[in-house]
Amino acid sequence: MSEQTEQTQSGVVIVGAGMAGVQTAVALRERGWTGPVTLLGAEPHQPYDRPPLSKAVLLGKAEDSAFDVDFEGLGIELRLGVEVTGLRAAERELDTEAGPVPYEVLVLATGAEPLTLPGSEGIPGVHLLRTLDDAARLRPVLAAAPATVVVGAGWIGAEFATAAREAGCEVTVVEAADRVLAGALPAEVAAPMARWYEEAGASLLTGARVASVEAGRVALADGRSLEAGAVVVGIGARPATRWLAGSGVELGPDGSVTADAYLRTSLPGVWAVGDCASFPSARYGERLLVHHWDNALQGPRSVAANILAGEPAQVYDPVPYFWSEQFGRFVQYAGYHGGADELIWRGDPADPAWSVCWLRGGALVAILAVGRPRDLAQARRLIESATPVSPAALSDPSTPVKSATL
Ligand code: FAD
């Protein structure tokens, strides 16, 4: 730690008490930050983990998903129910309804907010699934098992449809694109995953645009009308950064805080991490905005290391990773692929377990593994090290991924 840092080890304020905010506070303490750490969160609840919200918490198999962190013991001042409404950089102050909060070092970790379906806000029976309150509202809905329309066949839509089928609801999933997971996977990979919906007894309508929603009914642009005791909208999320307008923090066209390779923002002493921030990836040659849990775990470690060092010390350039549990399958993805990358199948997608790999310049850049966690773990290491691999060996699912190197 530099001398200068020791003198200035005073106030770190973190805005957003989700995974990224909590992990930043914990990482600072673990690495020896002795100054005050204040964590401000808009939600009134004890900070909690989101992935269980579309899984165990939704189905009532778990009451909540609060993080097991001893904030008091770690000397982290946790201020809940405090929404930050503005940032005045010249004064190094934040605005909240409870009054101004000064900072010396600031970490933005406000996550993302779900996109809403235009015209559906406030209509009874229309739900989003982002917060603990959303999940709590949906639990009794599922228990009553109404005919349910899910708008969006992305990761959240698939997980919600899984839970709704398990609860005995009649489920129709409406997707505007021509396939499931259109933003994430190519058509040939998405096709077998679309069959999971039908197998689970959910009806999947692709190329279907919602025209309007009214209580109890969803009208599609092609004239079809769907009965909907409940509607769940899962059409994506955008960085929760509106409150930063006019603050001087640079935002990208997608609304993300455009952090640099060290997760610094355009303002001195202000960092950004998790779902609200994008960062330039030298590994993939583009700026990435990652809305997955592992990014909210790893990013804070870099931010904390850099704050501790008092200078840009640790570059953040991860191999992104996420998982999804849908239709009885454990789906994992690591890396990042583009349309031009070579696609290699490992196994038959009609089987319960298979993987798909993407190669660029002879090295693995991404993998999607369905029920093959070993493939994922081994591939993740090869992606990290950019080791050249043999496409022929890789395409044989009985050859371990780690043995497919050249
Ligand atoms: P968030 O978790 O969104 O936390 C940000 C916090 O900041 C929120 O509590 C918010 O209230 C608060 N906040 C926002 N604005 C302000 C403000 N102005 N002032 C004060 N506080 C503010 N990822 C996976 O990899 N696998 C999964 O299976 C998976 N399942 C998911 C299921 C669901 C239902 C959801 C919603 C997400 C899931 N994710 C999953 C994604 C993962 O949970 C997120 O990437 C992760 O939560 C991001 O953490 P974060 O701290 O950046 O943002």
Side-chain angles (χ1 to χ4, degrees), residues 281-286 288 317-320 334-337 360 365-366 383:
S281 167
R283 187 190 293 279
Y284 294 107
E286 354 179 342
L288 301 184
D317 194 2
V319 171
Y336 182 72
H337 71 271
R360 192 181 301 173
V365 287
I383 296 168

Side-chain angles (χ1 to χ4, degrees), residues 15-21 40-43 50-51 53-55 82-84 109-112 129-130 156 159 243 274-275 291-293 296 322-323:
V15 187
M19 179 72 181
L40 305 173
E43 294 181 67
R50 284 181 209 281
L53 300 186
S54 53
K55 307 170 183 77
V82 176
E83 183 178 353
V84 178
T110 47
L129 180 48
R130 178 80 198 178
I156 297 283
E159 293 200 353
W243 65 281
D275 278 14
H291 278 183
H292 296 302
W293 187 90
F322 70 88
W323 79 96

Side-chain angles (χ1 to χ4, degrees), residues 66 250 288 301:
E250 190 185 285
L288 301 184
R301 295 176 182 162

Side-chain angles (χ1 to χ4, degrees), residues 28 69 74 98 114 119 148 152 161 175 180 200 213 246 288 290 315 317 330 360:
L28 280 166
V69 172
L74 287 171
T148 302
E175 169 56 56
V180 304
V213 180
L288 301 184
V290 179
V315 167
D317 194 2
F330 187 46
R360 192 181 301 173

Side-chain angles (χ1 to χ4, degrees), residues 20 24 263 272-274 294-305 314 316 318:
T24 302
L263 298 180
V273 69
D294 192 63
N295 178 57
L297 172 70
Q298 309 289 348
R301 295 176 182 162
S302 294
V303 168
Q314 191 171 308
Y316 184 60

Side-chain angles (χ1 to χ4, degrees), residues 78-104:
L78 182 60
R79 295 183 56 190
L80 299 173
V82 176
E83 183 178 353
V84 178
T85 52
L87 160 56
R88 283 174 288 109
E91 292 88 15
R92 292 217 167 199
E93 256 181 11
L94 298 167
D95 291 321
T96 78
E97 269 187 10
V101 176
Y103 66 84
E104 280 163 288

